[in-house]
Amino acid sequence: MRQVAVLGATGSIGRSTLDVIQRHPNRYRATVMAAHRSVDDMEALCRTHRPLHAVMGDPQAASVLAERLADVPSVAVSSGAEILDDLVADAAVDTVVAGIVGFAGLRPTLSAARAGKIILLANKEALVSAGGLFMEAVRTGGATLLPVDSEHNAMQQCLPVDLEGRPNMSDVEKIILTASGGPFRGRSRASLDAVTPEEACAHPNWSMGRKISVDSATLANKGLELAEACWLFDRRPEQIEIVVHPQSIVHSMIRYRDGSTLAQLGQPDMRTPIAYCLAWPERVDAGVAPLDIVAAARLDFEAPDLEAFPCLALAQWAITQPGGMCVFSAANEVAVAAFLAGDIRFTDIDKVIAGTLQGIDLVEPESLDAVQALDQAARDVADKQIAGCFTRPEA
């Protein structure tokens, strides 16, 4: 019986994970579940899965949840980053699903790595903001790192790996990272000025949270995933090619030096990569319908439009700079939040990122405190830009 900590339990990754766990009650149990402030959702999940611990990021939300679950004394409700650090490192947990979105997910993921856990990595910031620090923690802690993102999971499935899940890259010529192109693929830059948050969050293929949906629409997510792939597979940016594949059937490819290209295909459903990671090196039912390749009919590929979607080009540059992706990620989080709040336009997101990259001294952080300081400095610069340089869009 695998004891699983699900971080970000109320988000799309968390819910997909809990769905797979529920399908295999004799193999997995969610012993720890963490969320930020979604009390209603967390209460329902706790009543269904009966974890030993429910951790809320917001103390007031934790108090409300504790009252709601007074009739379920087996679930201990708490709040605080230190408590979550201790729980993911505890011997009672062997597998940690790192699904907390944003910088908040970095600290517990680092704790899991240092404690040598099996880590199902869905939190991008662990690698994007602190790649060197995190990978060193994985190595020294003896953790097993399995990527949940559909693209990186596809790469992992197309590579030979050892018993610790480490891929063998010796015969690889190039990684091909696919992108759906988001809901605005094919549109001109000028046509994106009036895009609304609702339109940006309406992804054509995937069901995701609002922040990651906007990242997909701007192609910022592909920049984040490029940085992740560099760390996960020890590649330089030029060894990874990004192609737009609107059907989201081919999740990524590996090109070998003998001319072979291996691809992983499947439905656009996150339960497939999650089930792969939970069961690795075995396979279990994910509850996902098999791909009907005849019904899929055609698979299209094209180059990304960096003029219409400059976030990707900014990320490609930032990856080459010390601390650049930490700043990129922080600025992007601030800009996306401002866009979702109606404070800036869709086409202002990349402007905030560019201005932040230009307005801060870039340095490679070598500790968690240094990562947090650089992240906060980037957020401050981004906030000042939004307050002073952009006009709130008309309703």
Side-chain angles (χ1 to χ4, degrees):
M1 177 70 73
R2 294 269 291 278
Q3 310 295 324
V4 185
V6 183
L7 312 186
T10 59
S12 59
I13 294 295
R15 288 183 177 279
S16 293
T17 300
L18 291 168
D19 180 86
V20 175
I21 288 174
Q22 197 167 18
R23 293 173 186 276
H24 302 279
N26 296 324
R27 294 182 65 120
Y28 313 109
R29 183 188 178 191
T31 54
V32 176
M33 298 197 312
H36 184 43
R37 63 163 66 98
S38 304
V39 174
D40 291 345
D41 292 341
M42 194 64 155
E43 179 191 1
L45 292 174
C46 286
R47 292 187 181 279
T48 298
H49 296 276
R50 302 298 174 104
L52 299 178
H53 299 276
V55 184
M56 302 299 285
D58 181 85
Q60 184 176 357
S63 297
V64 175
L65 182 64
E67 292 178 8
R68 298 263 195 96
L69 294 175
D71 61 326
V72 191
S74 62
V75 181
V77 180
S78 57
S79 177
E82 295 83 2
I83 291 173
L84 189 57
D85 286 350
D86 291 341
L87 288 173
V88 298
D90 191 87
V93 169
D94 50 59
T95 302
V96 176
V97 179
I100 296 176
V101 175
F103 191 79
L106 172 58
R107 179 170 166 169
T109 308
L110 266 173
S111 295
R114 289 167 178 155
K117 304 299 181 179
I118 300 170
I119 301 173
L120 278 60
L121 186 67
N123 171 270
K124 296 179 183 301
E125 281 66 27
L127 289 172
V128 171
S129 298
L133 188 67
F134 178 69
M135 293 304 290
E136 179 61 23
V138 169
R139 284 189 291 270
T140 58
T144 297
L145 183 60
L146 300 171
V148 166
D149 270 358
S150 60
E151 295 84 357
H152 305 95
N153 187 270
M155 298 168 194
Q156 184 95 356
Q157 292 195 47
C158 293
L159 288 164
V161 295
D162 64 17
L163 294 177
E164 280 72 47
R166 293 172 300 204
N168 183 340
M169 306 298 296
S170 59
D171 294 325
V172 174
E173 180 181 275
K174 182 158 283 191
I175 290 174
I176 301 172
L177 171 61
T178 58
S180 70
F184 308 130
R185 181 180 65 87
R187 288 179 54 168
S188 68
R189 172 74 173 180
S191 73
L192 299 174
D193 276 341
V195 160
T196 67
E198 289 69 29
E199 290 172 325
C201 290
H203 196 281
N205 301 330
W206 295 93
S207 175
M208 305 180 293
R210 287 170 68 79
K211 193 268 181 184
I212 193 172
S213 294
V214 175
D215 285 349
S216 178
T218 63
L219 293 192
N221 73 316
K222 221 42 58 176
L224 298 171
E225 289 169 7
L226 174 62
E228 286 182 275
C230 288
W231 285 111
L232 284 167
F233 304 108
D234 193 23
R235 299 287 94 174
R236 300 185 304 276
E238 63 269 21
Q239 294 174 304
I240 302 171
E241 180 182 356
I242 298 173
V243 298
V244 173
H245 168 53
Q247 291 88 1
S248 295
I249 296 297
V250 176
H251 298 300
S252 274
M253 295 173 270
I254 301 292
R255 182 186 301 154
Y256 288 92
R257 62 184 178 185
D258 64 359
S260 299
T261 298
L262 301 188
Q264 189 266 338
L265 287 71
Q267 301 280 12
D269 190 317
M270 285 307 299
R271 290 177 297 175
T272 295
I274 289 167
Y276 170 85
C277 291
L278 279 174
W280 184 87
E282 302 176 49
R283 301 264 182 173
V284 296
D285 173 33
V288 179
L291 176 66
D292 185 339
I293 197 68
V294 174
R298 59 180 291 170
L299 304 174
D300 297 304
F301 301 92
E302 61 191 53
D305 184 347
L306 299 182
E307 182 177 341
F309 305 99
C311 282
L312 178 53
L314 287 169
Q316 289 173 322
W317 177 83
I319 290 171
T320 66
Q321 307 302 308
M325 283 307 294
C326 180
V327 173
F328 176 97
S329 178
N332 180 61
E333 275 195 44
V334 171
V336 170
F339 167 67
L340 290 173
D343 294 331
I344 63 173
R345 300 182 188 278
F346 180 82
T347 48
D348 290 333
I349 294 173
D350 56 83
K351 296 175 185 175
V352 172
I353 297 171
T356 304
L357 285 167
Q358 294 170 359
I360 198 165
D361 293 329
L362 297 175
V363 60
E364 190 66 35
E366 297 182 355
S367 68
L368 181 56
D369 287 344
V371 172
Q372 291 174 323
L374 183 59
D375 175 89
Q376 188 57 56
R379 291 172 188 274
D380 291 343
V381 172
D383 280 332
K384 288 178 182 177
Q385 287 190 83
I386 291 168
C389 301
F390 297 101
T391 302
R392 186 182 178 91
E394 296 181 5

